[in-house]
Amino acid sequence: MSITIKTAEQIEKMRAAGRILASCHKEVAKLVKPGVTTLEINTFVDEYIRSHGATPEQVGYRGYPYATCASVNDVICHGFPNERALVDGDIVTIDMVVNLNGWLADSAWSYAVGNVSDEARKLLDVTKESLYLGIEKAVPGNRIGDISNTIQKFAEGHGYSVVRQFLGHGIGQLMHEDPMVPHFGPAGKGARIKEGMVFTIEPMLNVGVYEVFIDPDGWTARTADGKLSAQYEHTIAITKDGPIILTDQG
Ligand code: MF3
Ligand code: CO
């Protein structure tokens, strides 16, 4: 598959999906508290997306059963929402994909539950900053590896490891398109970034090792050493003047 270039009109359709997604995340931020379950958050998100005339694209994607991935503490990504109540000190990543009139937007956000440890707070802050530093490199003429390398250097400079097994990706009418966007690797390599590309950047940073274990459910991806993991993801569109964040919560 090659990289599809989107027109300004198509990017505007993805931005409309992204606006719904971003406003949903802002509601999720208010919901995340000790005592709430990730299944309750999932139900809220599912209903929020549908009540805005869109559909949750993750439902049924390769058999995935839920509108959200809800990944608590040592879960890196693709956690199933469940009936365990969140407790003070947890961190939880909520990932969702909104389909509005056939055009998609994808964004994951990590949340602190109540008061979290300094270790967790710092992981959240560095992971979010690594995403924004990566986005700054998403300008025409750079290469995908310039994004990858910037994120890796920043993350490892803070003592964290970068997950290798899951990558950012092109997105449009399909959830996963070319190019693949690693969050590690050499600068100056990979596809040349061009106006009209739309892709996600979604670094997953771990306190310990980057290796992944998959649970028997076939989805839930955990850190191999049981230490914390966080993730922030935006969908961005490349214009001649640089990136636009389609899932911006600003
Ligand atoms: N939103 C995810 C991504 O960032 C995909 C989740 S896999 C699914 O690529 F099965 F849950 F959809
Ligand atoms: Co996602």
Side-chain angles (χ1 to χ4, degrees), residues 58 95-97 106-108 169 202 233:
Q58 291 188 163
D95 189 4
M96 63 183 90
V97 180
D106 184 359
S107 177
H169 50 88
E202 49 180 302
E233 172 186 25

Side-chain angles (χ1 to χ4, degrees), residues 48-239:
Y48 187 97
I49 292 171
R50 293 180 197 279
S51 72
H52 285 75
T55 53
E57 185 74 3
Q58 291 188 163
V59 177
Y61 179 82
R62 298 185 178 207
Y64 189 80
Y66 298 100
T68 62
C69 302
S71 303
V72 178
N73 294 335
D74 64 315
V75 179
I76 297 167
C77 64
H78 302 166
F80 284 1
N82 63 33
E83 285 177 337
R84 172 188 173 275
L86 295 170
V87 299
D88 192 64
D90 282 344
I91 60 172
V92 57
T93 304
I94 303 295
D95 189 4
M96 63 183 90
V97 180
V98 168
N99 180 332
L100 181 66
N101 302 318
W103 292 90
L104 308 180
D106 184 359
S107 177
W109 213 251
S110 289
Y111 297 95
V113 181
N115 298 303
V116 300
S117 66
D118 289 348
E119 179 185 70
R121 185 75 260 162
K122 187 177 158 236
L123 176 67
L124 295 174
D125 292 346
V126 171
T127 306
K128 190 195 284 183
E129 193 171 352
S130 80
L131 167 61
Y132 284 98
L133 291 172
I135 291 171
E136 281 179 19
K137 300 291 172 180
V139 296
N142 273 358
R143 291 186 183 271
I144 293 293
D146 298 323
I147 300 171
S148 312
N149 189 255
T150 294
I151 292 170
Q152 181 178 19
K153 274 200 190 135
F154 184 72
E156 293 180 354
H158 282 87
Y160 299 127
S161 66
V162 175
V163 172
R164 305 308 202 238
Q165 197 165 323
F166 304 102
L167 310 177
H169 50 88
I171 181 167
Q173 293 182 288
L174 298 174
M175 194 191 300
H176 293 127
E177 301 182 355
D178 282 342
M180 302 307 265
V181 183
H183 309 102
F184 59 93
K189 303 284 184 192
R192 184 81 69 184
I193 296 168
K194 295 200 173 82
E195 185 181 352
M197 287 184 181
V198 181
F199 54 82
T200 73
I201 305 178
E202 49 180 302
M204 285 146 271
L205 268 50
N206 296 351
V207 165
V209 300
Y210 62 71
E211 282 86 358
V212 173
F213 277 164
I214 307 292
D215 278 2
D217 64 23
W219 282 99
T220 308
R222 291 178 193 275
T223 58
D225 58 10
K227 294 187 181 173
L228 293 178
S229 184
Q231 181 185 25
Y232 291 85
E233 172 186 25
H234 274 311
T235 298
I236 65 168
I238 311 305
T239 73

Side-chain angles (χ1 to χ4, degrees), residues 12-78:
E12 198 42 53
K13 290 178 182 175
M14 296 182 75
R15 200 210 285 255
R19 283 199 191 100
I20 295 169
L21 199 165
S23 58
C24 184
H25 263 310
K26 287 167 81 169
E27 296 302 318
V28 168
K30 298 179 207 161
L31 263 176
V32 171
K33 290 190 176 64
V36 74
T37 71
T38 50
L39 209 46
E40 288 164 346
I41 294 169
N42 182 76
T43 300
F44 173 83
V45 168
D46 192 288
E47 289 172 359
Y48 187 97
I49 292 171
R50 293 180 197 279
S51 72
H52 285 75
T55 53
E57 185 74 3
Q58 291 188 163
V59 177
Y61 179 82
R62 298 185 178 207
Y64 189 80
Y66 298 100
T68 62
C69 302
S71 303
V72 178
N73 294 335
D74 64 315
V75 179
I76 297 167
C77 64
H78 302 166

